[in-house]
């Protein structure tokens, strides 16, 4: 277990963006990508949004949300939201890094914060926000059994690839659809940690993952910002 975690820590720290993008003039949000070791393999904890939420009800996502004025940084936002949503106490998370941000449909700048949690963690979902919590082996996001992809043009005209995974949870006897920005972050996390080629196409140069992920993000941001300027 320690060896698996140590290897992941080392890889993740190479990709830590810190607060490099925190001054961009977009509203901010952050999500926690909680990693745990179970049965000798890395797993990722995910949640299902409550059906009573206005935005994206019933969709799979990571614990997280918009930053509040009292949050000192993205890490604090992600940890606060994870505690509110699934009862994960901040001191029970070993924060490793912040990865390349994404931009959601509402043009929020979303920063993924990666942290280790104990495999014994028992989630207590807040029913107003979360209907279910489940875990997926991280390698599913490079070697999926049920995967499809489609192209998507953002409102700013930027063409991007959307990953869509169907994960059959044997324990719960049900399937979960993981797609959009959540899948984007999960794929990138798996690419960083495993350093191997996935069984599907990705929008990265896998030999230069750091620079190509930054290049992709800057192009996406530029396409949104140009549109914002033209709306003024």
């Amino acid at each position: 277990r320690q060896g698996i975690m140590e290897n992941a820590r080392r890889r993740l720290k190479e990709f830590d963006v810190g607060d490099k993008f925190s001054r961009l003039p977009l509203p901010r949000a952050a999500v926690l990508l909680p990693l745990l070791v179970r049965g000798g393999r890395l797993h990722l904890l995910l949640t299902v949004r409550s059906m009573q939420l206005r935005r994206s009800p019933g969709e799979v996502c990571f614990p997280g949300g918009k930053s509040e004025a009292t949050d000192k940084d993205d890490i604090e936002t992600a940890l606060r939201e994870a505690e509110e949503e699934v009862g994960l106490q901040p001191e029970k998370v070993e924060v490793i890094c912040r990865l390349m941000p994404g931009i959601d449909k509402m043009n929020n700048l979303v920063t993924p914060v990666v942290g280790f949690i104990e495999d014994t963690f028992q989630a207590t979902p807040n029913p107003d926000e979360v209907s279910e919590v489940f875990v997926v082996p991280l390698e599913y996001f490079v070697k999926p059994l049920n995967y499809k992809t489609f192209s998507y043009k953002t409102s700013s005209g930027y063409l991007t690839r959307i990953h869509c995974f169907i994960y059959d949870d044997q324990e719960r006897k049900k399937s979960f659809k993981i797609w959009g920005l959540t899948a984007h972050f999960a794929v990138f996390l798996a690419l960083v940690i495993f350093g191997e080629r996935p069984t599907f196409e990705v929008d990265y140069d896998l030999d230069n993952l750091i620079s190509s992920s930054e290049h992709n993000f800057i192009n996406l941001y530029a396409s949104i910002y140009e549109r914002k300027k033209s709306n003024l």
Side-chain angles (χ1 to χ4, degrees):
R1 179 169 176 265
Q2 285 308 116
I4 293 168
M5 288 168 68
E6 199 40 62
N7 182 50
R9 271 191 207 99
R10 196 184 70 249
R11 294 275 304 170
L12 286 162
K13 282 179 176 162
E14 289 172 30
F15 285 80
D16 189 2
V17 300
D19 57 7
K20 184 172 180 176
F21 301 99
S22 62
R23 288 170 199 79
L24 294 179
L26 290 176
R28 309 185 58 74
V31 292
L32 183 67
L33 277 53
L35 282 168
L36 54 128
V37 180
R38 196 169 278 178
R41 296 157 82 198
L42 283 169
H43 287 68
L44 200 48
L45 180 138
L46 293 137
T47 68
V48 179
R49 289 171 65 83
S50 163
M51 288 309 288
Q52 60 209 41
L53 288 171
R54 238 187 19 248
R55 201 165 62 78
S56 308
E59 298 222 333
V60 170
C61 65
F62 291 111
K66 288 187 175 178
S67 69
E68 293 182 358
T70 50
D71 297 337
K72 72 173 196 289
D73 56 19
D74 300 313
I75 293 172
E76 200 162 288
T77 301
L79 294 177
R80 174 182 54 72
E81 288 281 345
E83 185 168 29
E84 287 171 16
E85 290 178 17
V86 297
L88 177 60
Q89 296 167 317
E91 62 273 17
K92 297 282 171 72
V93 183
E94 181 202 344
V95 174
I96 308 295
C97 71
R98 284 171 276 188
L99 293 178
M100 192 62 63
I103 297 173
D104 69 11
K105 297 191 285 274
M106 318 294 288
N107 285 349
N108 293 303
L109 181 77
V110 186
T111 298
V113 175
V114 185
F116 277 113
I117 62 171
E118 289 295 330
D119 68 324
T120 51
F121 168 65
Q122 294 288 321
T124 49
N126 171 351
D128 294 337
E129 298 192 53
V130 172
S131 63
E132 274 188 276
V133 179
F134 65 104
V135 299
V136 179
L138 184 62
E139 68 189 311
Y140 197 79
F141 298 106
V142 282
K143 294 176 183 167
L145 298 175
N146 191 338
Y147 168 86
K148 57 179 184 284
T149 182
F150 50 95
S151 293
Y152 172 74
K153 193 174 259 189
T154 66
S155 56
S156 58
Y158 183 80
L159 193 65
T160 181
R161 189 194 305 267
I162 301 276
H163 302 291
C164 180
F165 300 86
I166 306 294
Y167 177 68
D168 294 322
D169 189 320
Q170 302 302 325
E171 217 176 294
R172 286 181 166 70
K173 302 281 183 281
K174 68 192 300 185
S175 295
F176 295 99
K177 178 184 175 185
I178 306 159
W179 70 295
L181 195 57
T182 301
H184 169 82
F185 286 150
V187 167
F188 189 67
L189 179 67
L191 291 174
V192 166
I193 289 178
F194 297 127
E196 59 184 69
R197 294 185 179 275
T199 57
F200 50 88
E201 293 290 313
V202 288
D203 293 329
Y204 301 112
D205 170 359
L206 293 170
D207 297 319
N208 299 286
L209 192 51
I210 293 177
S211 57
S212 83
S213 63
E214 188 164 321
H215 175 77
N216 287 3
F217 171 73
I218 287 165
N219 283 350
L220 172 61
Y221 170 71
S223 76
I224 285 164
Y225 207 63
E226 280 308 311
R227 182 165 176 267
K228 283 197 148 186
K229 283 197 291 200
S230 68
N231 284 350
L232 295 176

